[in-house]
Amino acid sequence: MVGCYIHVPFCARRCGYCDFNTAVLGSAGLTPNGWLAGLRAEIALVAPREKLGTVFFGGGTPTLLGGPILAAAMDMIRGELGLASASEVTIEANPETVTAPLLDALLAAGFTRLSLGMQSADPAVLAVLDRAHTPGQVTWCVDAARRAGFTDISLDLIYGTPGETLTSWQHTLETALACAPTHISCYALIVEPGTPLAGRIDRGELAAPDDDLQADEYLLADDLLTAAGLGWYELSNWAAPGHECRHNLGYWHSADWLGFGPGAHSHVGLQRWWNHRSPRRWAAALQRGESPVEGREILDDAMIHEERVLLQLRLATGLEVSELMRTERERLPGFMADALLITHTNSVVLTRQGRLLADKVVRDLLS
Ligand SMILES: C[S@@+](CC[C@H](N)C(=O)[O-])C[C@H]1O[C@@H](n2cnc3c(N)ncnc32)[C@H](O)[C@@H]1O
Ligand code: SF4
């Protein structure tokens, strides 16, 4: 089944750690209505193939668009591309943008899954991250979303923020779990070059994230989330049974997906393509009746193989041994002796220690 990613390139303000393709609303060179018109034109360029099994509105801050524009976008997707029955439709939301009427509007528009950017329950950590919400707003949002009728609610957390301690992170995890979400993502903070956060670290105003602390934080998250009934199913993701993100599972299983919006990537069969990153260029191309695609590539056997190993090893279901080449299979006993991989029926799966060193395991396996 095919997935669909819709990129919304607007935020109310920029967080100092983020280098996603998003700009402050009002200075993005594109208005929300201009974005909607671009989306309409871009969808019209696509010949419908099969109905969409999953849709994911990501950003940026999709909830900044408000109910009417989001409902209009969903109508287009439903009408022009088609939604399969029981499809999963996710929207990312910043807690400070969520209201009870917006939640009702999202459900009426067909969204089935809410992914809230909680990040931390520690006001000092939220301040370092430049977040605009308070911890209390997250608790309110989850309660309100459940009352409104959402049964799939996910929280995004970040660990390793300068100044964060293991105690603060434990408090964040416990606060998140007390909200009883069905899914939690925990991301290690990445200091992206060129961001204001990187500048503050370079100038010595903030300490760089500590690898050992981040490893301890990962293990604590795995302990607490698992004990609370959220099983890990991908390196950074834990879910109650049956509440895994089907859209992201599609990416990790190299399924087909169509991306719309500035900078969105698509993958169908052996082809991959990506749009102009600049909202202005994306919209201008569509206004001229042209494709907003900036580049394309055909995946060769080596690329497909590397990607499958890289993505499937991240999953709790692991990688089928038969996917590996002979030389790679010969390396497996070494990883098992180091307790980084275990076999599970016909697959290899990362151990907890292996999950901490996943990038290195993949590199060494493919080298
Ligand atoms: C790009 S955001 C979009 C959703 C929404 N605007 C938000 O901030 O929650 C998706 C997730 O990526 C995370 N993220 C962004 N930059 C990151 C970084 N440098 N390191 C780790 N996580 C990051 C965000 O914190 C968020 O949870
Ligand atoms: S983390 Fe989210 S809210 Fe912050 S700038 Fe990035 S996309 Fe926008």
Side-chain angles (χ1 to χ4, degrees):
M1 207 169 286
V2 69
C4 172
Y5 175 76
I6 306 285
H7 190 70
V8 180
F10 307 117
C11 286
R13 61 188 221 192
R14 292 302 308 258
C15 308
Y17 60 97
C18 176
D19 80 342
F20 277 67
N21 185 23
T22 177
V24 173
L25 193 59
S27 64
L30 185 66
T31 63
N33 279 319
W35 173 86
L36 187 65
L39 183 67
R40 189 185 306 277
E42 190 175 6
I43 286 176
L45 295 175
V46 174
R49 300 163 355 109
E50 54 180 307
K51 289 185 175 177
L52 304 172
T54 65
V55 181
F56 193 106
F57 279 59
T61 307
T63 39
L64 263 190
L65 292 172
I69 290 187
L70 289 166
M74 279 301 293
D75 281 346
M76 271 180 219
I77 291 167
R78 205 179 285 106
E80 302 300 319
L81 299 172
L83 274 182
S85 61
S87 50
E88 174 195 273
V89 186
T90 303
I91 183 161
E92 288 186 328
N94 288 36
E96 70 279 8
T97 63
V98 176
T99 61
L102 179 71
L103 290 167
D104 291 339
L106 294 176
L107 281 166
F111 290 93
T112 65
R113 187 170 180 275
L114 189 70
S115 174
L116 283 163
M118 171 176 177
Q119 321 307 350
S120 172
D122 182 339
V125 170
L126 290 175
V128 172
L129 293 175
D130 294 327
R131 298 296 298 201
H133 66 272
T134 62
Q137 279 173 313
V138 177
T139 307
W140 179 86
C141 281
V142 179
D143 285 346
R146 216 177 352 247
R147 272 198 309 277
F150 276 98
T151 51
D152 264 313
I153 303 171
S154 181
L155 297 175
D156 278 359
L157 303 178
I158 285 186
Y159 58 96
T161 301
E164 184 178 66
T165 60
L166 200 56
T167 309
S168 156
W169 173 238
Q170 178 165 347
H171 171 65
T172 291
L173 290 164
E174 287 167 349
T175 308
L177 286 170
C179 296
T182 50
H183 186 286
I184 292 185
S185 305
C186 296
Y187 300 116
L189 178 71
I190 297 170
V191 179
E192 301 286 0
T195 55
L197 176 71
R200 293 179 72 189
I201 291 174
D202 286 349
R203 291 192 296 276
E205 293 167 24
L206 292 172
D210 177 295
D211 288 349
D212 291 339
L213 176 59
Q214 280 190 326
D216 289 344
E217 292 185 315
Y218 181 87
L219 294 176
L220 181 64
D222 192 47
D223 286 339
L224 296 186
L225 301 183
T226 308
L230 302 185
W232 88 276
Y233 70 100
E234 193 273 347
L235 272 185
S236 311
N237 289 280
W238 289 259
H243 291 272
E244 295 81 6
C245 177
R246 277 156 47 198
H247 183 81
N248 285 340
L249 279 170
Y251 291 142
W252 297 317
H253 283 294
S254 308
D256 291 347
W257 74 87
L258 299 170
F260 298 93
H265 285 233
S266 301
H267 169 263
V268 176
L270 296 180
Q271 284 207 51
R272 202 152 49 187
W273 64 93
W274 51 93
N275 286 348
H276 290 300
R277 199 176 145 84
S278 142
R280 200 192 303 263
R281 286 189 69 185
W282 169 82
L286 287 160
Q287 260 170 12
R288 292 192 301 268
E290 294 169 10
S291 159
V293 172
E294 186 190 37
R296 295 178 184 275
E297 65 186 350
I298 305 280
L299 301 174
D300 62 25
D301 288 348
M303 289 159 96
I304 292 170
H305 174 70
E306 282 188 17
E307 208 165 271
R308 287 177 83 92
V309 172
L310 181 96
L311 294 174
Q312 292 188 23
L313 255 193
R314 298 178 64 94
L315 295 167
T317 46
L319 172 75
E320 281 199 26
V321 176
S322 59
E323 295 264 0
L324 292 170
M325 299 192 207
R326 190 172 54 81
T327 47
E328 293 161 351
R329 280 203 292 272
E330 286 168 1
R331 294 187 191 116
L332 292 179
F335 291 110
M336 291 180 200
D338 292 341
L340 297 172
L341 287 176
I342 47 167
T343 47
H344 197 40
T345 55
N346 297 325
S347 298
V348 276
V349 181
L350 288 167
T351 60
R352 252 162 67 102
Q353 188 58 24
R355 281 148 68 188
L356 293 173
L357 300 170
D359 291 345
K360 181 171 159 39
V361 172
V362 169
R363 254 195 330 271
D364 292 352
L365 187 59
L366 290 171
S367 65

